[in-house]
Coordinates of all heavy atoms in Angstrom, one line a residue:
M131 N 20.9 5.9 -6.3 CA 20.7 7.3 -6.0 C 21.6 7.7 -4.8 O 21.6 7.1 -3.8 CB 19.3 7.6 -5.7 CG 18.9 9.0 -5.4 SD 17.2 9.1 -5.2 CE 17.0 10.8 -4.8
N132 N 22.4 8.8 -5.0 CA 23.3 9.2 -4.0 C 22.9 10.7 -3.5 O 23.7 11.4 -3.0 CB 24.7 9.2 -4.4 CG 25.2 7.8 -4.5 OD1 24.9 7.0 -3.6 ND2 26.0 7.5 -5.4
Q133 N 21.7 11.0 -3.7 CA 21.2 12.4 -3.4 C 21.3 12.6 -1.9 O 20.9 11.7 -1.1 CB 19.7 12.5 -3.8 CG 19.1 13.9 -3.6 CD 19.7 14.9 -4.5 OE1 19.9 14.7 -5.7 NE2 19.9 16.1 -3.9
S134 N 21.8 13.7 -1.5 CA 21.8 14.1 -0.1 C 21.2 15.5 0.0 O 21.1 16.2 -0.9 CB 23.2 14.1 0.5 OG 24.0 15.1 -0.1
Y135 N 20.6 15.8 1.2 CA 20.0 17.0 1.4 C 20.7 17.7 2.5 O 20.9 17.2 3.6 CB 18.5 16.8 1.8 CG 17.7 16.0 0.8 CD1 17.7 14.6 0.8 CD2 17.2 16.7 -0.3 CE1 17.0 13.9 -0.2 CE2 16.5 16.0 -1.3 CZ 16.4 14.7 -1.2 OH 15.8 14.0 -2.2
R136 N 21.2 19.0 2.3 CA 21.9 19.7 3.3 C 21.0 20.7 4.0 O 20.3 21.5 3.3 CB 23.1 20.4 2.6 CG 24.1 19.4 2.1 CD 25.4 20.1 1.6 NE 26.4 19.2 1.2 CZ 27.2 18.5 2.0 NH1 27.1 18.7 3.3 NH2 28.0 17.6 1.6
F137 N 21.1 20.7 5.3 CA 20.4 21.7 6.1 C 21.5 22.4 6.9 O 22.7 22.1 6.8 CB 19.4 21.0 7.0 CG 18.3 20.3 6.2 CD1 18.5 18.9 5.9 CD2 17.2 20.9 5.8 CE1 17.5 18.2 5.2 CE2 16.2 20.3 5.1 CZ 16.4 18.9 4.8
R138 N 21.0 23.4 7.6 CA 22.0 24.3 8.3 C 22.9 23.5 9.3 O 24.1 23.7 9.3 CB 21.3 25.4 9.1 CG 22.2 26.4 9.7 CD 21.3 27.5 10.3 NE 22.2 28.5 10.8 CZ 21.8 29.7 11.2 NH1 20.5 30.0 11.1 NH2 22.6 30.6 11.7
R139 N 22.4 22.6 10.1 CA 23.2 21.9 11.1 C 23.4 20.4 10.8 O 24.1 19.7 11.5 CB 22.5 22.0 12.5 CG 22.4 23.5 12.9 CD 21.9 23.7 14.3 NE 21.2 22.5 14.9 CZ 19.9 22.5 15.2 NH1 19.1 23.5 15.1 NH2 19.4 21.4 15.8
F140 N 22.8 19.9 9.7 CA 22.9 18.5 9.5 C 22.7 18.2 8.0 O 22.2 19.1 7.2 CB 22.0 17.6 10.3 CG 20.6 17.9 10.1 CD1 19.8 17.3 9.1 CD2 19.9 18.8 10.9 CE1 18.5 17.6 8.9 CE2 18.6 19.1 10.7 CZ 17.9 18.5 9.7
T141 N 23.1 17.0 7.6 CA 22.9 16.5 6.2 C 22.1 15.2 6.3 O 22.4 14.4 7.2 CB 24.3 16.3 5.5 OG1 25.0 17.5 5.5 CG2 24.1 15.8 4.1
M142 N 21.2 15.1 5.4 CA 20.4 13.9 5.3 C 20.9 13.1 4.1 O 20.9 13.7 3.0 CB 18.9 14.2 5.2 CG 18.1 13.5 6.2 SD 16.4 14.0 6.1 CE 15.7 13.0 4.8
Q143 N 21.3 11.9 4.3 CA 21.8 11.1 3.1 C 21.3 9.7 3.2 O 20.9 9.2 4.2 CB 23.3 11.2 3.1 CG 23.9 10.7 4.4 CD 25.4 11.0 4.5 OE1 26.2 10.1 4.9 NE2 25.8 12.2 4.2
P144 N 21.3 9.0 2.0 CA 20.8 7.6 2.0 C 21.6 6.8 2.9 O 22.9 6.9 3.0 CB 21.1 7.2 0.5 CG 21.1 8.5 -0.3 CD 21.7 9.5 0.7
D145 N 20.9 5.9 3.7 CA 21.6 5.0 4.6 C 21.8 3.7 3.9 O 20.9 2.9 3.7 CB 20.7 4.8 5.8 CG 21.3 3.9 6.8 OD1 22.5 3.4 6.6 OD2 20.7 3.7 7.9
H146 N 23.1 3.5 3.4 CA 23.4 2.3 2.6 C 23.4 1.1 3.5 O 23.4 0.0 2.9 CB 24.7 2.5 1.9 CG 24.7 3.7 1.0 ND1 23.9 3.7 -0.2 CD2 25.3 4.9 1.0 CE1 24.1 4.9 -0.8 NE2 24.9 5.6 -0.1
A147 N 23.4 1.2 4.8 CA 23.3 0.0 5.6 C 21.9 -0.5 5.8 O 21.6 -1.6 6.1 CB 23.9 0.3 7.0
G148 N 20.9 0.4 5.4 CA 19.5 0.1 5.5 C 19.1 -0.6 4.2 O 19.7 -0.5 3.2
E149 N 17.9 -1.2 4.3 CA 17.4 -1.9 3.1 C 16.3 -1.1 2.5 O 15.5 -0.5 3.1 CB 16.9 -3.3 3.5 CG 18.0 -4.2 4.0 CD 17.4 -5.6 4.4 OE1 16.2 -5.8 4.2 OE2 18.2 -6.4 4.9
L150 N 16.2 -1.2 1.1 CA 15.0 -0.7 0.5 C 13.8 -1.5 0.8 O 13.9 -2.8 1.0 CB 15.2 -0.8 -1.1 CG 16.4 0.0 -1.6 CD1 16.4 -0.2 -3.1 CD2 16.2 1.5 -1.3
I151 N 12.7 -0.9 1.0 CA 11.4 -1.6 1.3 C 10.5 -1.5 0.1 O 10.2 -0.3 -0.4 CB 10.8 -1.1 2.5 CG1 11.7 -1.4 3.7 CG2 9.4 -1.7 2.7 CD1 11.2 -0.7 5.0
H152 N 10.0 -2.6 -0.4 CA 9.0 -2.5 -1.5 C 7.6 -2.9 -1.0 O 7.5 -3.8 -0.1 CB 9.4 -3.6 -2.6 CG 10.8 -3.3 -3.2 ND1 11.0 -2.7 -4.4 CD2 12.0 -3.6 -2.7 CE1 12.3 -2.7 -4.6 NE2 12.9 -3.2 -3.6
R153 N 6.6 -2.3 -1.6 CA 5.2 -2.6 -1.3 C 4.4 -2.5 -2.5 O 4.7 -1.6 -3.4 CB 4.6 -1.7 -0.2 CG 5.3 -1.9 1.2 CD 4.6 -1.1 2.2 NE 3.6 -1.9 2.8 CZ 3.0 -1.6 3.9 NH1 3.3 -0.5 4.6 NH2 2.0 -2.3 4.4
A154 N 3.3 -3.2 -2.6 CA 2.3 -3.0 -3.7 C 1.1 -2.3 -3.1 O 0.7 -2.5 -1.9 CB 1.9 -4.3 -4.3
Q155 N 0.5 -1.4 -3.9 CA -0.7 -0.7 -3.4 C -1.7 -0.7 -4.5 O -1.4 -0.5 -5.7 CB -0.4 0.8 -3.1 CG -1.6 1.5 -2.5 CD -1.3 2.9 -2.1 OE1 -0.5 3.6 -2.8 NE2 -1.9 3.4 -1.1
C156 N -2.9 -1.0 -4.1 CA -4.1 -1.0 -5.0 C -4.5 0.4 -5.3 O -4.7 1.2 -4.4 CB -5.2 -1.8 -4.4 SG -6.7 -1.8 -5.5
V157 N -4.6 0.8 -6.6 CA -5.0 2.1 -6.9 C -6.5 2.4 -6.6 O -6.9 3.4 -6.2 CB -4.7 2.4 -8.4 CG1 -5.3 3.8 -8.8 CG2 -3.2 2.4 -8.7
S158 N -7.3 1.3 -6.7 CA -8.8 1.4 -6.5 C -9.1 1.7 -5.0 O -10.0 2.5 -4.8 CB -9.5 0.2 -6.9 OG -9.3 0.0 -8.3
C159 N -8.5 1.0 -4.1 CA -8.9 1.1 -2.7 C -7.8 1.5 -1.8 O -8.0 1.7 -0.6 CB -9.5 -0.3 -2.2 SG -8.3 -1.6 -2.0
A160 N -6.6 1.7 -2.3 CA -5.4 2.2 -1.5 C -4.9 1.2 -0.5 O -4.0 1.5 0.2 CB -5.7 3.5 -0.8
Q161 N -5.5 0.0 -0.5 CA -4.9 -1.0 0.4 C -3.5 -1.4 0.0 O -3.3 -1.4 -1.2 CB -5.9 -2.3 0.4 CG -5.5 -3.3 1.4 CD -6.6 -4.4 1.5 OE1 -7.7 -4.3 1.1 NE2 -6.2 -5.5 2.1
M162 N -2.6 -1.7 0.9 CA -1.3 -2.0 0.6 C -0.9 -3.4 1.1 O -1.4 -3.9 2.1 CB -0.3 -1.1 1.3 CG -0.3 0.3 0.7 SD 1.1 1.3 1.3 CE 0.6 1.6 3.0
G163 N -0.1 -4.1 0.3 CA 0.4 -5.4 0.7 C 1.5 -5.3 1.7 O 1.9 -4.2 2.1
P164 N 2.1 -6.4 2.2 CA 3.1 -6.4 3.2 C 4.4 -5.9 2.6 O 4.6 -5.9 1.4 CB 3.2 -7.8 3.6 CG 2.7 -8.6 2.4 CD 1.7 -7.8 1.8
Q165 N 5.3 -5.5 3.5 CA 6.7 -5.0 3.1 C 7.4 -6.2 2.5 O 7.3 -7.3 3.0 CB 7.4 -4.5 4.3 CG 6.8 -3.2 4.8 CD 7.6 -2.6 6.0 OE1 8.7 -3.1 6.3 NE2 7.1 -1.5 6.5
A166 N 8.3 -6.0 1.5 CA 9.0 -7.1 0.9 C 10.4 -6.5 0.5 O 10.6 -5.3 0.4 CB 8.3 -7.6 -0.3
A167 N 11.4 -7.5 0.4 CA 12.7 -7.1 0.1 C 12.9 -6.8 -1.4 O 13.9 -6.1 -1.8 CB 13.7 -8.2 0.5
T168 N 12.0 -7.3 -2.3 CA 12.1 -7.0 -3.7 C 10.8 -6.6 -4.3 O 9.7 -6.9 -3.7 CB 12.6 -8.3 -4.5 OG1 11.6 -9.3 -4.4 CG2 13.9 -8.8 -3.9
G169 N 10.8 -6.0 -5.4 CA 9.6 -5.6 -6.1 C 8.7 -6.8 -6.5 O 7.5 -6.8 -6.4
D170 N 9.4 -7.9 -7.0 CA 8.7 -9.1 -7.4 C 7.9 -9.7 -6.2 O 6.8 -10.1 -6.4 CB 9.7 -10.1 -8.0 CG 10.1 -9.7 -9.4 OD1 9.6 -8.8 -10.0 OD2 11.1 -10.3 -9.8
A171 N 8.6 -9.7 -5.1 CA 8.0 -10.3 -3.9 C 6.8 -9.5 -3.4 O 5.7 -10.0 -3.1 CB 9.0 -10.5 -2.7
A172 N 7.0 -8.1 -3.5 CA 5.9 -7.2 -3.1 C 4.7 -7.4 -4.0 O 3.5 -7.4 -3.6 CB 6.4 -5.8 -3.1
M173 N 4.9 -7.6 -5.3 CA 3.8 -7.7 -6.2 C 3.0 -9.0 -6.2 O 1.9 -9.1 -6.7 CB 4.3 -7.4 -7.7 CG 4.9 -6.0 -7.8 SD 3.8 -4.7 -7.2 CE 2.8 -4.4 -8.6
M174 N 3.5 -10.0 -5.5 CA 2.8 -11.3 -5.3 C 1.5 -11.0 -4.5 O 0.5 -11.7 -4.8 CB 3.7 -12.3 -4.5 CG 4.8 -12.9 -5.3 SD 4.2 -13.7 -6.8 CE 3.2 -15.0 -6.1
W175 N 1.5 -10.0 -3.7 CA 0.2 -9.7 -3.0 C -0.9 -9.3 -3.9 O -2.1 -9.6 -3.6 CB 0.5 -8.5 -2.0 CG -0.7 -7.9 -1.4 CD1 -1.4 -8.4 -0.3 CD2 -1.4 -6.8 -1.8 NE1 -2.5 -7.6 -0.1 CE2 -2.5 -6.6 -1.0 CE3 -1.2 -5.8 -2.9 CZ2 -3.4 -5.5 -1.1 CZ3 -2.1 -4.8 -3.0 CH2 -3.2 -4.7 -2.2
V176 N -0.6 -8.8 -5.1 CA -1.6 -8.4 -6.1 C -2.4 -9.6 -6.5 O -3.7 -9.5 -6.6 CB -0.9 -7.8 -7.3 CG1 -1.9 -7.6 -8.4 CG2 -0.2 -6.5 -7.0
V177 N -1.8 -10.8 -6.6 CA -2.6 -12.0 -7.0 C -3.7 -12.2 -6.0 O -4.9 -12.5 -6.4 CB -1.6 -13.2 -7.1 CG1 -2.4 -14.5 -7.4 CG2 -0.5 -12.9 -8.1
F178 N -3.4 -12.1 -4.7 CA -4.4 -12.4 -3.7 C -5.4 -11.3 -3.6 O -6.6 -11.6 -3.5 CB -3.7 -12.6 -2.3 CG -2.7 -13.7 -2.4 CD1 -1.3 -13.4 -2.3 CD2 -3.1 -15.0 -2.5 CE1 -0.4 -14.4 -2.3 CE2 -2.2 -16.1 -2.5 CZ -0.8 -15.8 -2.4
H179 N -5.0 -10.1 -3.8 CA -5.9 -9.0 -3.7 C -6.9 -9.0 -4.9 O -8.1 -8.8 -4.7 CB -5.2 -7.6 -3.7 CG -6.0 -6.5 -3.4 ND1 -6.5 -6.2 -2.2 CD2 -6.5 -5.5 -4.2 CE1 -7.3 -5.1 -2.2 NE2 -7.3 -4.6 -3.4
L180 N -6.4 -9.4 -6.1 CA -7.2 -9.4 -7.3 C -8.3 -10.6 -7.1 O -9.4 -10.4 -7.6 CB -6.3 -9.7 -8.5 CG -7.0 -9.6 -9.9 CD1 -7.6 -8.2 -10.1 CD2 -6.0 -9.9 -10.9
E181 N -7.9 -11.7 -6.5 CA -8.9 -12.7 -6.3 C -10.1 -12.3 -5.5 O -11.2 -12.6 -5.7 CB -8.2 -13.9 -5.6 CG -7.4 -14.8 -6.5 CD -6.8 -15.9 -5.8 OE1 -7.1 -16.2 -4.6 OE2 -5.9 -16.6 -6.4
D182 N -9.8 -11.4 -4.4 CA -10.9 -10.9 -3.6 C -11.6 -9.7 -4.2 O -12.8 -9.5 -3.8 CB -10.3 -10.5 -2.2 CG -9.7 -11.7 -1.4 OD1 -10.1 -12.8 -1.7 OD2 -8.9 -11.4 -0.6
H183 N -10.9 -9.0 -5.1 CA -11.5 -7.8 -5.7 C -11.2 -7.8 -7.2 O -10.4 -7.1 -7.6 CB -10.9 -6.5 -5.0 CG -11.0 -6.6 -3.5 ND1 -12.1 -6.2 -2.8 CD2 -10.0 -6.9 -2.6 CE1 -11.9 -6.4 -1.5 NE2 -10.6 -6.7 -1.4
P184 N -12.0 -8.6 -7.9 CA -11.7 -8.7 -9.4 C -11.8 -7.4 -10.2 O -11.1 -7.3 -11.2 CB -12.8 -9.7 -9.9 CG -13.2 -10.4 -8.6 CD -13.1 -9.5 -7.5
S185 N -12.4 -6.4 -9.7 CA -12.5 -5.1 -10.4 C -11.3 -4.2 -10.1 O -11.2 -3.2 -10.8 CB -13.8 -4.4 -10.1 OG -13.9 -4.0 -8.7
H186 N -10.5 -4.6 -9.2 CA -9.3 -3.8 -8.8 C -8.1 -4.2 -9.7 O -7.4 -5.2 -9.3 CB -9.0 -3.9 -7.3 CG -10.1 -3.4 -6.4 ND1 -9.9 -3.2 -5.1 CD2 -11.3 -2.9 -6.7 CE1 -11.0 -2.8 -4.6 NE2 -11.9 -2.6 -5.5
V187 N -7.9 -3.5 -10.8 CA -6.9 -4.0 -11.8 C -5.7 -3.1 -11.9 O -4.8 -3.3 -12.7 CB -7.6 -4.2 -13.1 CG1 -8.6 -5.4 -13.1 CG2 -8.2 -3.0 -13.7
R188 N -5.7 -2.0 -11.1 CA -4.5 -1.0 -11.3 C -3.8 -1.0 -9.9 O -4.4 -0.9 -8.9 CB -5.0 0.3 -11.7 CG -5.7 0.3 -13.0 CD -6.1 1.7 -13.5 NE -4.9 2.4 -13.8 CZ -4.9 3.8 -13.6 NH1 -5.9 4.5 -13.2 NH2 -3.7 4.4 -14.0
Y189 N -2.5 -1.1 -10.0 CA -1.6 -1.2 -8.8 C -0.4 -0.3 -8.9 O 0.0 0.1 -10.0 CB -1.2 -2.6 -8.6 CG -2.3 -3.5 -8.2 CD1 -3.1 -4.1 -9.3 CD2 -2.7 -3.7 -6.9 CE1 -4.2 -4.9 -9.0 CE2 -3.8 -4.5 -6.6 CZ -4.5 -5.1 -7.7 OH -5.6 -5.8 -7.4
R190 N 0.2 0.0 -7.8 CA 1.5 0.8 -7.8 C 2.5 0.0 -7.0 O 2.2 -0.7 -6.1 CB 1.3 2.1 -7.0 CG 0.6 3.1 -7.7 CD 0.6 4.4 -6.9 NE -0.3 5.4 -7.5 CZ 0.1 6.2 -8.5 NH1 1.3 6.1 -9.0 NH2 -0.7 7.0 -9.1
E191 N 3.8 0.1 -7.4 CA 4.8 -0.5 -6.6 C 5.4 0.7 -5.8 O 5.8 1.7 -6.4 CB 5.9 -1.1 -7.5 CG 7.1 -1.6 -6.6 CD 8.2 -2.2 -7.5 OE1 8.1 -2.2 -8.7 OE2 9.2 -2.6 -6.9
L192 N 5.5 0.6 -4.5 CA 6.0 1.7 -3.7 C 7.4 1.3 -3.2 O 7.6 0.1 -2.8 CB 5.1 1.9 -2.5 CG 3.6 2.2 -2.8 CD1 2.9 2.3 -1.5 CD2 3.5 3.4 -3.6
L193 N 8.3 2.2 -3.3 CA 9.7 1.9 -2.9 C 10.1 2.9 -1.8 O 10.0 4.1 -2.0 CB 10.6 2.1 -4.1 CG 12.1 1.9 -3.9 CD1 12.4 0.5 -3.4 CD2 12.9 2.2 -5.2
S194 N 10.6 2.4 -0.7 CA 11.0 3.2 0.5 C 12.5 3.1 0.7 O 13.0 2.0 0.9 CB 10.2 2.8 1.7 OG 10.6 3.5 2.8
R195 N 13.1 4.3 0.6 CA 14.6 4.3 0.8 C 15.0 4.9 2.2 O 14.5 5.9 2.5 CB 15.2 5.2 -0.3 CG 16.7 5.3 -0.3 CD 17.2 6.3 -1.4 NE 16.5 6.1 -2.6 CZ 16.9 5.2 -3.5 NH1 17.9 4.4 -3.3 NH2 16.2 5.1 -4.7
P196 N 15.8 4.2 2.9 CA 16.2 4.7 4.2 C 17.2 5.8 4.1 O 18.1 5.8 3.3 CB 16.8 3.4 4.9 CG 17.3 2.6 3.8 CD 16.4 2.9 2.6
Y197 N 17.1 6.8 5.0 CA 18.0 7.9 5.1 C 18.5 8.0 6.5 O 17.9 7.5 7.5 CB 17.3 9.2 4.7 CG 17.3 9.5 3.2 CD1 16.4 8.8 2.4 CD2 18.1 10.4 2.6 CE1 16.3 9.0 1.1 CE2 18.1 10.6 1.3 CZ 17.2 9.9 0.5 OH 17.2 10.1 -0.8
R198 N 19.7 8.7 6.7 CA 20.2 9.0 8.0 C 20.6 10.4 8.1 O 21.0 11.0 7.1 CB 21.3 8.0 8.4 CG 22.5 8.2 7.5 CD 23.6 7.1 7.8 NE 24.1 7.2 9.1 CZ 25.4 7.6 9.3 NH1 26.2 7.9 8.3 NH2 25.8 7.7 10.5
V199 N 20.5 11.0 9.3 CA 20.9 12.3 9.5 C 22.3 12.4 10.1 O 22.6 11.7 11.0 CB 19.9 13.0 10.5 CG1 20.4 14.4 10.9 CG2 18.5 13.0 9.9
V200 N 23.2 13.2 9.5 CA 24.6 13.3 9.9 C 24.8 14.8 10.3 O 24.6 15.7 9.4 CB 25.5 12.9 8.8 CG1 27.0 13.1 9.3 CG2 25.3 11.5 8.4
P201 N 25.2 15.1 11.5 CA 25.6 16.5 11.9 C 26.6 17.0 10.9 O 27.5 16.3 10.5 CB 26.1 16.4 13.3 CG 25.5 15.1 13.8 CD 25.4 14.2 12.6
R202 N 26.5 18.3 10.5 CA 27.4 18.9 9.6 C 28.8 18.8 10.1 O 29.0 19.1 11.3 CB 27.1 20.4 9.3 CG 25.8 20.6 8.6 CD 25.8 20.2 7.1 NE 26.7 21.0 6.3 CZ 26.3 22.0 5.6 NH1 25.0 22.3 5.5 NH2 27.2 22.7 4.9
G203 N 29.8 18.5 9.3 CA 31.2 18.4 9.7 C 31.6 17.1 10.0 O 32.8 16.8 10.2
E204 N 30.7 16.1 10.2 CA 31.1 14.7 10.6 C 31.3 13.8 9.4 O 32.0 12.8 9.4 CB 30.1 14.1 11.5 CG 30.2 14.6 12.9 CD 29.3 13.7 13.9 OE1 29.0 12.6 13.5 OE2 29.0 14.2 15.0
G205 N 30.7 14.2 8.2 CA 30.8 13.3 7.1 C 30.0 12.1 7.2 O 29.3 11.9 8.1
A206 N 30.2 11.2 6.2 CA 29.4 10.0 6.2 C 30.0 9.0 7.1 O 29.7 7.9 7.3 CB 29.3 9.4 4.8
Ligands
ZN190 ZN1 -8.1 -2.8 -4.0

């Protein structure tokens, strides 16, 4: 995704030097697992959460994308 957001004095754009952050979240109790570099690693937390809470069977994968602010006219 290369979406950027333009404001009057700056532009917000994806920071390609930053890393995506993945997390798993339980839909039942909203508890979140630790940050991970991949979706597969993030979803490993589900195994442990499910052992403690057998009725919590629905989860979300959360993906966090880093952005940076660039003053207008400077470019990327
Ligand atoms: Zn839960």
